[in-house]
Amino acid sequence: MSPTWIDIDDEALREAMRFSGARSEDDAVNLALRVYAARHRSRAETLRERDRAEPPKRRRPRN
């Protein structure tokens, strides 16, 4: 891993540590990043699968 210096909301970090059971701040931040990425990756994959499964929409003729 590469060291990165960032400002983190102390209250949000404490809450993330409490909910996740993380024992260190590094663990809490890394877990939060993994969860965020997984959630959005899953959503993107779901949308791609839905788009593949749906039949193309027919265009209505104009009157």
Side-chain angles (χ1 to χ4, degrees):
M1 278 191 256
S2 60
T4 302
W5 295 93
I6 58 175
D7 290 324
I8 296 177
D9 180 313
D10 292 331
E11 180 59 30
L13 181 56
R14 280 192 297 275
E15 189 173 34
M17 290 179 74
R18 188 176 78 239
F19 286 131
S20 70
R23 295 179 184 258
S24 73
E25 292 175 349
D26 287 352
D27 289 346
V29 170
N30 286 316
L31 176 61
L33 291 171
R34 285 188 203 100
V35 168
Y36 181 88
R39 177 177 295 159
H40 288 277
R41 182 183 323 108
S42 176
R43 177 161 167 66
E45 289 169 355
T46 299
L47 292 174
R48 278 195 300 272
E49 288 299 318
R50 186 195 66 195
D51 289 346
R52 280 187 235 155
E54 288 182 356
K57 295 181 181 178
R58 290 186 172 174
R59 295 179 77 182
R60 290 177 147 170
R62 290 187 179 182
N63 290 339

